[in-house]
Structure formats: C-alpha cells, structure tokens
C-alpha cells in the first residue's frame, strides 16, 4: 500500500529505509527533489542526503533513534541534492514495526520548502526594515521638535543680548549655525523615511 501511495507522487520524496538506514524504495518525488535515480539511491545509506556538518554530528542516527523510540521524528533542516546544492526540507520519519513490536524499517517523507523559506525570509527582512523606518521617523521628528525649540530660544537670546558683547554674539551665531545644520540633516532623514513611518511619528506627537 505504501509503495502504491507514494510511487507516482512528485511533490514529496517518499521512500522506505531498512532498520539500518539503507534506502529500500524510491518514488518519483524523491528523484525530483533529491536528484538521484532509483538505481542510484536504493541500497545507499540515507545519511548521504544530509549535510557534512549533520553527518559529523550524527544527526541521521539520532533521527532514526528518535523515530524508533517515539514512533515518529519530525524536523526542518538543510538537506543536500545530488548536485551538491542544499535545500530546506521538512522531514517526517515514521517507524515500521513487525508483529513482535520490533522496528524493521522506517517510512521517510521529505518536502522541499526552500521557496517558502525564501519568501518568509524576505517578509522578515521587509518587516525589519519597516520597523527601522518607523523608529528612524520617530526619532527624526522628536529631534526636529527639539531643534525648533533650540533655534527659537537662540533667536530670543540673540535679540536680547547686547550687540556690544561680540564674544556672546559669536557664540550664539555658532550655536545657531550648528542647530541649522542639524535641522537640515534631520529634514533629509525625514524625506527618506517611508510615509508610513512618518504617519506613525505624527500620530505619536
């Protein structure tokens, strides 16, 4: 029944491995996803589909041990195609028992989730950039408000200070130019901030 169910399926790699982890059957989906023909895969140890790092950590052995102990093992991780390219896989390994309750093999189902993972990563990056934009917009607006207050007070101080005090007048002019440069930079930052972030900043005010 298992062979009949999985033989023609191309969306999932469905195959059997014996108790020692050697491939015993191979469907069309396994050939499409992993790149090995049936003759190339059957009889080989299933660990060849794992990354070198995972093989070194004995992840394949751990997977079979967990499946044999719990009845099923599930994971998402990188796997390797015949041409060496890696793909993100959803893996389910189910133990097969004989009438005496001993494990005689495993049914393994693998699904290629590389495209979905890439889309999710793009979404995460987009959300991260949006969050940064909102933060930047909020800081820029707050800073712009502070600069407006500073420039207004500098103008008042300059008008009320004696014109004869040249040293004080120069200090006020330097401070005003510095605040104006900061205001210009803040304006540039606000111009580059996405509209949604600017709306958020205005709402916060």
């Amino acid at each position: 029944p298992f062979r009949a169910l999985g033989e023609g399926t191309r969306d999932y790699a469905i195959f059997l491995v014996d108790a020692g982890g050697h491939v015993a059957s191979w469907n069309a989906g396994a050939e499409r996803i992993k790149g090995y023909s049936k003759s190339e895969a059957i009889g080989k140890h299933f660990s060849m589909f794992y990354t070198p790092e995972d093989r070194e950590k004995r992840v394949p052995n751990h997977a079979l041990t967990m499946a044999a102990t719990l009845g099923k093992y599930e994971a998402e991780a990188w796997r390797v195609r015949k041409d060496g390219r890696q793909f993100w896989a959803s893996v389910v390994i189910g133990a097969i028992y004989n009438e005496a309750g001993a494990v005689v093999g495993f049914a393994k189902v693998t699904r290629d989730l590389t495209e979905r993972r890439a889309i999710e990563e793009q979404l995460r990056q987009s959300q991260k950039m949006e969050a940064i934009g909102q933060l930047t917009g909020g800081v820029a607006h707050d800073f712009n408000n502070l600069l407006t207050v500073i420039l207004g007070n500098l103008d008042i101080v300059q008008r009320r200070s004696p014109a004869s005090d040249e040293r004080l007048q120069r200090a006020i002019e330097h401070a005003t130019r510095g605040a104006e440069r900061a205001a210009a930079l803040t304006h540039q930052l606000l111009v580059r901030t996405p509209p949604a972030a600017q709306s958020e900043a205005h709402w916060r005010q």
Side-chain angles (χ1 to χ4, degrees):
F2 179 86
R3 289 178 185 272
L5 174 67
E7 190 68 31
T9 303
R10 294 183 57 82
D11 292 336
Y12 296 84
I14 303 175
F15 58 99
L16 296 173
V17 298
D18 61 23
H22 297 89
V23 177
S25 72
W26 197 246
N27 80 328
E31 183 170 345
R32 183 186 69 82
I33 293 172
K34 297 178 182 292
Y36 294 92
S37 67
K38 182 180 294 188
S39 61
E40 290 174 318
I42 291 180
K44 301 294 178 58
H45 197 273
F46 86 111
S47 61
M48 69 179 182
F49 310 129
Y50 286 69
T51 64
E53 295 79 10
D54 281 351
R55 289 200 300 270
E56 185 176 341
K57 295 176 184 176
R58 300 182 61 80
V59 172
N61 301 72
H62 172 73
L64 293 188
T65 299
M66 293 297 293
T69 304
L70 303 176
K72 185 172 71 171
Y73 171 84
E74 297 183 60
E76 285 192 13
W78 292 108
R79 293 292 183 265
V80 183
R81 305 187 203 275
K82 179 183 176 180
D83 60 11
R85 289 180 299 133
Q86 294 189 8
F87 67 100
W88 188 253
S90 169
V91 179
V92 179
I93 303 176
I96 301 172
Y97 304 92
N98 62 16
E99 294 180 357
V103 175
V104 295
F106 302 89
K108 194 169 186 300
V109 180
T110 300
R111 185 182 178 193
D112 185 352
L113 299 181
T114 308
E115 185 175 347
R116 191 191 77 178
R117 178 182 169 87
I119 293 173
E120 290 175 346
E121 181 61 28
Q122 289 176 357
L123 179 61
R124 281 193 292 269
Q125 289 297 325
S126 176
Q127 291 172 338
K128 186 185 298 183
M129 293 306 296
E130 183 180 354
I132 292 173
Q134 290 177 351
L135 177 62
T136 302
V139 171
H141 272 284
D142 290 344
F143 194 48
N144 188 60
N145 292 338
L146 290 172
L147 288 170
T148 300
V149 173
I150 292 171
L151 285 168
N153 281 279
L154 284 171
D155 181 62
I156 293 172
V157 171
Q158 186 174 39
R159 284 189 282 107
R160 294 185 178 180
S161 299
S164 58
D165 192 337
E166 296 182 359
R167 184 175 180 181
L168 177 59
Q169 290 295 328
R170 281 198 301 272
I172 294 172
E173 288 173 4
H174 288 319
T176 301
R177 282 199 295 271
E180 288 173 344
R181 284 198 296 271
L185 290 172
T186 303
H187 176 72
Q188 291 178 13
L189 191 59
L190 286 170
V191 169
R192 295 174 184 175
T193 301
Q198 293 191 31
S199 298
E200 171 88 6
H202 278 298
W203 179 84
R204 287 172 57 241
Q205 294 179 9

